[in-house]
Amino acid sequence: MLIDFGWTADGAAWADARGGMQGRVRLGPRGLVQLLQARLGLTRPGAEQAVRIAQYMELLRDHLGTNEEFWPSRSFAVDPWSTSAQLLRWRDAAVEAGWRPAAAEGELPARLASVRALERSLSVGVGGTLAPAAADDLAEVIALLEEEAAGWPLGIEEIVLQEAAAELPGMWPRLLAALAAAGVHCVDAVQQLSDAPALQVVEALDEWSAADAAARFLAAGGEQPVTVLASTDTDVLDRALHRRGLPAIGHVRPSRDRAHHQVLGLFLDVATAPVDVHQLAALLDLRVLPGADGDAEPVGLVPAAARRRLLQALGREPGIGGPAWRQALTELEADGLEKPLAAAREIDRLVSAPLAVDGLRPRDVSQRLDWLVERLRAVARGEGELLASLAQVQVLQRVLGMLDPEVPLARRTLQQIIDSCGGSGPSPRAVREVSDWSVTTRPAQLPAGGGMVLWWGPSADDAPRTMRWDRAEVAALQAAGGRVLDAAKVAALQVDADLAGLRRADTVVVVLPGPRCEETPGPSGLLAHLEAVSGRSRLAPEQLVEGDRWHLAGRSLPVTVPAAQQPAPPQELVRRLRPASHLLPERLSFTQVSSLLACPRHWALEYALGIRPAEVAVLPTGARMIGTLLHAVVETLVQERFDPGLGGAALDVPAPQEIEATFDALVPQLASELDLPGRRAERTEVREHAVRSLRELFTGTARAGLRITGTETDFAVPWTLPLAGGEHTVQFRGSRDVDAVDADGRATVLDLKWSRSRTRYGDLFDTGEAIQLASYAWSLGQDDPGSPPADVGYFLLRSGEFVSADPALDPHRRSPMDLAESWRRMEAAVTEVLDEIAAGTVRAGCRELLDGAGLGPDASWDRRSRATSKARQAAREAGGLLVENHCAGSEHAQLCGLTGDWR
């Protein structure tokens, strides 16, 4: 075997060996050691770095138990994992330098003394207390070669050294000397000095412009072979290449942020208190594999049946353990599906008894992972990314099994362990495609055949990084047999190799992408050297265009400038279809009615056609969540006071402590996110509002002589609409927030609202446009046709105020609503819109209002508000009704041009 050995050659293609000769391979330090391990019978299973750190952390913990004055003790108390990882890096670097820690004598600097103290208490090996590292492999190979070199047939004839043996750091000169003693011919490579290559540098202001320049260069073609030197990610460049029908380069650096590395962290987040309901929804909705064919639903971590049931439960009650959650589990049991039920029960166990954040004991954490391992193994189907997730979980379990099961881990430490176990994962776009050019990522590994190089994204990241020792440490290492080169000399090994690789090229075309991820990369020292020699100035992308041709480094392409286009919002405000009586609803609620009147297109998309966002995207939060919570607090307080003998709740006012206790009991079920860290101030504010306003609710109703007879009272009554095509009956459904009766038996309906506005609902009441109240009164009248019309009103939960015509509730002396007229106006408006839909016309009500006022989609909120007020007034004077739309905040707003930059 003939070997070309270079200090920077690890990862290089074997075909790039000197002269391109067959039978000759190109190896770097790690590759040569692995080859020798195989020839000497020293191969063994590799150990994950996370396992080695865990081993070292336990050794360090044991040592601290007998030596409290140990130098790293203070750091270990604050951050045990990082401290252990750093000490282990120092230990491996010292061993690689040729130092034998256990044999060192005398006084040592603090870092080396700490390493020596730990080294004397461990044994290195597959079955030892510390798994070996690459440095230990190198030391073992050298020891065996020096002991029995003549007896081992290595099968290596010659090693050509790109760097002289004396220039290499640590034990490498010893290794090469031992190989020479074993009969391997080690010679220095003949360095062929060449002139500096021709240089062209294109500097763009952004990555997209740079990608276009580089893609054009590759698309132009030429006679000289091209090598792409990708010093940074080519993700954007790959997209530019694909737009031109060219193959991607596929160099996208590994990252810990890849999707399959998020499974474990997300799972443990859900298993740790307090449970974040949004994280739980994300876990339930997590899809880990595509479907078996193009039309199949993607495979989720949680089986589809359990995912749907549990997400629907969270949509009704954004918390854990409530009636909706328990009902979902009951329904899964009734379905009789084994795997979905088992998964749902496991998720329920995770969130019902989460791990305390200050009690993350390794054994408990590991036990929580058993189901995740089984599920990943069941659905992996040989997929590499999912197998990486499985391997990460299994490594974590192995690490946790090495730690003291009763010593709790800090949340930060557990996350550090997770990150270490997962390593970095490849991007799904890191896929090389067959191309006419070769690709490398390091200048030193450019092929020896010269040609043209396209250098994408050189930066200061190209600079080598070396372990630094101070003078005292260097002296101590060398006194004990180590060999430490000056850091500059070690860095020069890489710099010289990189420059040699670049100088082998005939032409180097450099493309600088500018800022990436809002950060400007530092200048490249290698590029600065080439520019100093060439004296060429940098070019901007626009300088490459002359007339109708684009030129760069002898390559050229024709250029056409497309006509300018001005994007505009959708203009078609009315969709005219064939008669669509099939879209007429069978059921309506007030929410549907409101959407239907405000914007028929929105209603048709969401309700008639069922185009809605996924459950995970509309999990209740913010004002909607808080309103639901306070509704439930009111319902619970009324139920506790309900007296069947009185026919309703007693006319007393709950104490503040009772309201607080009810609030606290319902938060985990209906607003669990308020219990998350960082939400204490918001939770306290909502709690204080609840106490003040709910005491006013019960005080006001008692003062007015109103006995609450029901809360969240469901109703479902038939509603016959006189449509043009004939009468159409729908089921009008909903629930009334608060039902009450006075001493004379007259009914009152109160609607509870959590709103920042103190005027909106008063305005709706005073103008007779509070159609929700009218619909509630109508539903009561259908249940008891002979009863007098009910009184209606709002109660504002945030401010603790009533909006009502009853002066005992509201001191503003409002006139009673004409409920019959309000209901008539609403029924007429609904009938008109449904007639249009049945005839095949669907209007975009949100845009109609703006266009009627001469406003564009980008009009300010004040102008929209004034336009809405004028339109409401006009509709009112004409005996009609206009319901204000809120489409701009909906998921369908882009279809009407209400969101997006159309300028």
Side-chain angles (χ1 to χ4, degrees), residues 702-777:
R703 183 174 59 242
L706 295 176
R707 187 181 305 281
I708 298 177
T709 59
T711 56
E712 304 299 327
T713 305
D714 292 332
F715 63 85
V717 293
W719 181 18
T720 301
L721 297 166
L723 302 186
E727 291 186 343
H728 180 74
T729 300
V730 300
Q731 190 177 49
F732 189 61
R733 308 178 67 177
S735 63
R736 299 184 296 269
D737 290 349
V738 175
D739 288 345
V741 295
D742 61 13
D744 298 328
R746 184 177 182 182
T748 295
V749 180
L750 295 175
D751 192 39
L752 309 181
K753 297 293 183 185
W754 175 266
S755 173
R756 291 184 178 276
S757 175
R758 300 181 64 176
T759 60
R760 176 186 176 191
Y761 293 100
D763 175 62
L764 291 175
F765 188 95
D766 295 338
T767 58
E769 295 175 2
I771 56 176
Q772 186 171 12
L773 297 181
S775 65
Y776 289 168

Side-chain angles (χ1 to χ4, degrees), residues 677-899:
R679 304 290 293 272
R680 179 176 298 179
E682 180 183 1
R683 188 186 194 281
T684 301
E685 180 187 9
V686 174
R687 192 172 186 253
E688 291 173 351
H689 277 300
V691 172
R692 289 196 301 268
S693 65
L694 296 191
R695 280 183 59 81
E696 179 57 32
L697 170 66
F698 286 97
T699 299
T701 53
R703 183 174 59 242
L706 295 176
R707 187 181 305 281
I708 298 177
T709 59
T711 56
E712 304 299 327
T713 305
D714 292 332
F715 63 85
V717 293
W719 181 18
T720 301
L721 297 166
L723 302 186
E727 291 186 343
H728 180 74
T729 300
V730 300
Q731 190 177 49
F732 189 61
R733 308 178 67 177
S735 63
R736 299 184 296 269
D737 290 349
V738 175
D739 288 345
V741 295
D742 61 13
D744 298 328
R746 184 177 182 182
T748 295
V749 180
L750 295 175
D751 192 39
L752 309 181
K753 297 293 183 185
W754 175 266
S755 173
R756 291 184 178 276
S757 175
R758 300 181 64 176
T759 60
R760 176 186 176 191
Y761 293 100
D763 175 62
L764 291 175
F765 188 95
D766 295 338
T767 58
E769 295 175 2
I771 56 176
Q772 186 171 12
L773 297 181
S775 65
Y776 289 168
W778 179 83
S779 70
L780 268 175
Q782 300 303 301
D783 291 340
D784 188 2
S787 63
D791 283 339
V792 294
Y794 291 112
F795 181 74
L796 307 182
L797 291 165
R798 188 176 181 85
S799 59
E801 298 176 281
F802 289 93
V803 176
S804 170
D806 186 344
L809 296 176
D810 185 351
H812 291 89
R813 299 187 178 278
R814 304 180 190 273
S815 299
M817 271 186 63
D818 188 340
L819 297 173
E821 175 63 12
S822 295
W823 176 258
R824 183 200 66 76
R825 289 162 64 191
M826 185 183 85
E827 186 175 66
V830 170
T831 300
E832 179 182 357
V833 173
L834 291 181
D835 277 338
E836 292 177 351
I837 292 174
T841 299
V842 181
R843 295 181 288 107
C846 51
R847 283 292 306 280
E848 274 190 334
L849 191 152
L850 293 177
D851 290 355
L855 301 177
D858 58 346
S860 67
W861 182 88
D862 288 339
R863 299 182 69 187
R864 291 190 187 198
S865 179
R866 289 194 294 270
T868 301
S869 297
K870 290 180 181 179
R872 283 180 60 200
Q873 178 65 29
R876 194 180 310 124
E877 291 173 354
L881 177 68
L882 185 141
V883 175
E884 184 176 355
N885 71 78
H886 299 279
C887 288
S890 77
E891 294 77 15
H892 307 294
Q894 286 184 322
L895 299 178
C896 302
L898 294 179
T899 61

